[in-house]
Amino acid sequence: MVDIMRIRGIHRVQRMTRHLRRRFTPKALILLYHCIAEKEIDPWELCVTEQHFAEHLEILRKHAQPVSLAQLVEAHRTGKIPNGAVAVTFDDGYANNLHNAKPLLEQFDVPATVFTVTGYLEKRREFWWDELERMLFRSDTLPEQLHLNLTGNDFEWNPRQSAVGEKESSDQGLGGDSLGAQSRTRLSLYYSIWRQLQPLWEPLRQKALDEISSWANGAPLIRDERRTLLPEELLALEKGGLVEVGAHSVTHTLLSVLPPAVQRYEIHQSKKHIEKILGHPVRGFAYPFGAYTNQTIPLVREAGFTHACSADDGTVWRGSDCFQFPRCDVKDWDGDQFAKQLSRWFRN
Ligand SMILES: [Zn+2]
């Protein structure tokens, strides 16, 4: 009994020491953005307007220490993280990162990294979650019954009866304004279908999207503001040296549901594809949906990446794992809200 008490005491001291060391050690943040564009329907709150993004950058320039992710990785490696350093990252590879975000990054001289999904690079289209949104929201009326068979299971939705009341069916995604009962019902339908599509492998998901598209009376229009980057735009992003490109898998499938051989393909192939376009090594990876398993990290390391980012909130300090760097998800806040959130993140 005495030994158990002693061991518990030692563990408590070790926990406190770690907590104190972390509290008083230099800390940095990695910010996570997606779209820099005007909001329409935005089910996952991925859009930050250009106005708000400019306000964020101004605050970073005045009150923080903007660094590139590569600089932060090097500082982490040498154990010399500059306190208050902030690295800006974008996930997915939206064309608006080049056309809307880059000019502002240049104006405020803030470096950034864009983690790109490579399977969309030659396709001039929207990501599947955006396509789904357009299919469900573009027409005034939808047919009554949607039936899908997904991996052997039957699913049915009736757009006119989709239940509202789940967490996601609140004002999230509607820009805080009520768009009326029909939009709420469509949003509820969107989340419900999205949840079934998210864990699917790409070919099955694409088949389901094709079926939804014909059910909803036609393929979605491609919005230039929401489409994915093209290879020449990837080159243009890196021009000037302020923006760096990283990999974000081939198909943006949950790696945690894939067998190791398919995970390996998603990780290795996305690196090779970007390197072929850019002509230089790609060092950073971001896990799609922030999800990974114990099998994923060795595969990322084996592919030759030097670091990888999750989507978990947290600060980067010298004790952080460079293959599980936390990132703080930025919403469409104005400058004041962003400044408050920034100091909240640094305090945690
Ligand atoms: Zn992503």
Side-chain angles (χ1 to χ4, degrees), residues 101-171:
K102 192 183 175 194
L104 294 169
L105 291 164
E106 286 173 335
Q107 184 185 331
F108 292 96
D109 192 27
V110 173
T113 299
V114 175
F115 291 105
T116 305
V117 180
T118 56
Y120 285 81
L121 275 170
E122 275 85 16
K123 292 186 177 166
R124 191 183 278 275
R125 61 185 290 180
E126 295 189 10
F127 290 111
W128 69 262
W129 53 88
D130 289 329
E131 283 187 359
L132 177 65
E133 174 223 302
R134 292 294 279 172
M135 288 173 197
L136 299 184
F137 281 88
R138 72 177 282 217
S139 63
D140 288 340
T141 55
L142 287 173
E144 276 201 5
Q145 206 80 11
L146 170 64
H147 173 262
L148 293 177
N149 183 281
L150 305 172
T151 59
N153 296 310
D154 286 318
F155 292 90
E156 276 192 2
W157 289 271
N158 184 334
R160 290 163 208 183
Q161 292 173 4
S162 281
V164 180
E166 295 178 49
K167 179 179 172 288
E168 298 101 326
S169 302
S170 63
D171 278 345

Side-chain angles (χ1 to χ4, degrees), residues 24-260:
F24 294 106
T25 203
K27 284 182 285 194
L29 288 179
I30 305 175
L31 303 183
L32 170 56
Y33 291 88
H34 295 84
C35 264
I36 302 302
E38 290 301 319
K39 272 203 255 199
E40 297 171 59
I41 305 292
D42 188 10
W44 302 113
E45 298 183 282
L46 301 179
C47 291
V48 172
T49 62
E50 286 172 84
Q51 171 66 38
H52 285 166
F53 187 55
E55 291 173 21
H56 299 182
L57 296 177
E58 191 176 1
I59 284 160
L60 291 180
R61 187 37 72 207
K62 278 188 188 160
H63 304 295
Q65 190 178 342
V67 294
S68 69
L69 187 56
Q71 286 170 323
L72 184 55
V73 169
E74 180 57 16
H76 173 267
R77 194 184 66 77
T78 57
K80 293 174 186 162
I81 291 183
N83 200 29
V86 179
V88 169
T89 68
F90 296 84
D91 269 9
D92 302 333
Y94 283 95
N96 61 53
N97 294 174
L98 171 68
H99 302 293
N100 297 349
K102 192 183 175 194
L104 294 169
L105 291 164
E106 286 173 335
Q107 184 185 331
F108 292 96
D109 192 27
V110 173
T113 299
V114 175
F115 291 105
T116 305
V117 180
T118 56
Y120 285 81
L121 275 170
E122 275 85 16
K123 292 186 177 166
R124 191 183 278 275
R125 61 185 290 180
E126 295 189 10
F127 290 111
W128 69 262
W129 53 88
D130 289 329
E131 283 187 359
L132 177 65
E133 174 223 302
R134 292 294 279 172
M135 288 173 197
L136 299 184
F137 281 88
R138 72 177 282 217
S139 63
D140 288 340
T141 55
L142 287 173
E144 276 201 5
Q145 206 80 11
L146 170 64
H147 173 262
L148 293 177
N149 183 281
L150 305 172
T151 59
N153 296 310
D154 286 318
F155 292 90
E156 276 192 2
W157 289 271
N158 184 334
R160 290 163 208 183
Q161 292 173 4
S162 281
V164 180
E166 295 178 49
K167 179 179 172 288
E168 298 101 326
S169 302
S170 63
D171 278 345
Q172 180 188 339
L174 294 175
D177 301 314
S178 170
L179 293 190
Q182 179 174 298
S183 291
R184 289 178 178 281
T185 307
R186 297 266 175 111
L187 202 56
S188 170
L189 177 69
Y190 172 89
Y191 290 125
S192 181
I193 298 174
W194 184 95
R195 267 195 294 273
Q196 299 306 325
L197 299 191
Q198 192 219 16
L200 296 182
W201 290 25
E202 175 65 10
L204 296 176
R205 187 165 51 231
Q206 191 52 57
K207 181 174 168 287
L209 283 168
D210 290 343
E211 287 176 33
I212 298 167
S213 174
S214 51
W215 168 81
N217 304 320
L221 298 168
I222 293 168
R223 295 164 290 184
D224 214 42
E225 284 246 308
R226 292 286 187 95
R227 71 170 171 80
T228 58
L229 283 160
L230 299 168
E232 59 269 28
E233 290 175 323
L234 209 59
L235 280 161
L237 255 183
E238 281 209 337
K239 203 171 175 191
L242 198 62
V243 180
E244 170 195 33
V245 174
H248 193 39
S249 83
V250 178
T251 64
H252 207 290
T253 300
L254 267 177
L255 294 177
S256 52
V257 304
L258 297 175

